Structures are given as C-alpha cells and as structure tokens.
Amino acid sequence: MKQIKSLEAVAFSRYIRMSPFKVRRILDQIRGRTYEETMIILSFMPYKACPVILKTIQSAAANATNKYNVDPSLLFISEARADAGPILKRFRPHAQGRGFPIKKRMSHIISLI
C-alpha cells in the first residue's frame, strides 16, 4: 500500500490580548473545514477574535503555498488551537480600601494547514 506524505504548514500568533476561552469558541467552528469555507465563516462571524484568527489562517495558507506550491483551494484546517499565554495581573479598588484582582489573559493561536 502506498503511503501519502502529508504536507503541513503552520502559523503562530503569539501574545494576543484576548482570553483563550473566547478564541477557542471560534476555533471549534472552523477545525476540519476547508480553507475557502473557513475564510467565509470567519469573515461573517461577529466576534473580536475573528480578524486575528483569519490573519493566522491566511498566513498558514501562504506558508503552504510558498513551501509546497499548493493551490489554497485544496487546503483544509487540520489543527487549530489556542493556548494560554502570560497573564497580566492588575488590581481594581473595591470598598473599604480593598483591592480586587483582575486577570487580563493572553493567547497563543496555532493553526496547522
């Protein structure tokens, strides 16, 4: 039986000032879909994370095109994940002189085509 070698291209977006929970909500919608279908879905979704994910997916497609000379219409999203980045820790004043901690989260977005 003949083995087909999978060609993969990857793109990273690091230190995105957005919670990984909010990014994962969108990545779950596009994982396993074709590149063209993903572009359509992301361009019409109303979430703040969509332009950042769109840019990362386009970068991975450009990497695949330049590295393997593949037509973008043949590509599909094999892996898309958002990992937690560093957390900015801030304090907000509360009643009676207390401080209330606020965690401003960051994400690392990885897309594999």
Side-chain angles (χ1 to χ4, degrees):
M1 194 163 129
K2 189 176 182 181
Q3 285 280 10
I4 297 174
K5 184 180 177 188
S6 70
L7 307 174
E8 293 180 336
V10 66
F12 300 92
S13 292
R14 301 184 68 206
Y15 302 105
I16 304 299
R17 256 302 281 121
M18 200 173 310
S19 171
F21 306 106
K22 294 178 183 178
V23 176
R24 285 184 195 127
R25 176 176 61 181
I26 292 131
L27 292 177
D28 290 340
Q29 299 294 319
I30 64 168
R31 196 175 292 119
R33 296 185 187 260
T34 65
Y35 173 72
E36 292 173 340
E37 192 177 2
T38 302
M39 292 297 107
I40 293 168
I41 289 170
L42 289 176
S43 61
F44 289 108
M45 281 181 113
Y47 301 111
K48 181 185 165 191
C50 288
V52 178
I53 295 170
L54 184 70
K55 193 172 180 181
T56 308
I57 298 286
Q58 286 174 339
S59 176
N63 291 343
T65 304
N66 291 331
K67 193 172 181 181
Y68 302 116
N69 200 17
V70 178
D71 184 34
S73 63
L74 301 173
L75 300 174
F76 71 97
I77 313 302
S78 60
E79 182 181 348
R81 71 175 194 262
D83 298 331
I87 298 171
L88 300 174
K89 294 179 181 173
R90 302 288 183 258
F91 281 91
R92 178 163 184 125
H94 258 228
Q96 298 179 355
R98 293 182 174 87
F100 185 75
I102 295 175
K103 294 181 180 176
K104 298 188 173 206
R105 299 181 186 273
M106 289 190 207
S107 304
H108 300 314
I109 301 170
I110 297 132
S111 65
L112 199 67
I113 289 186

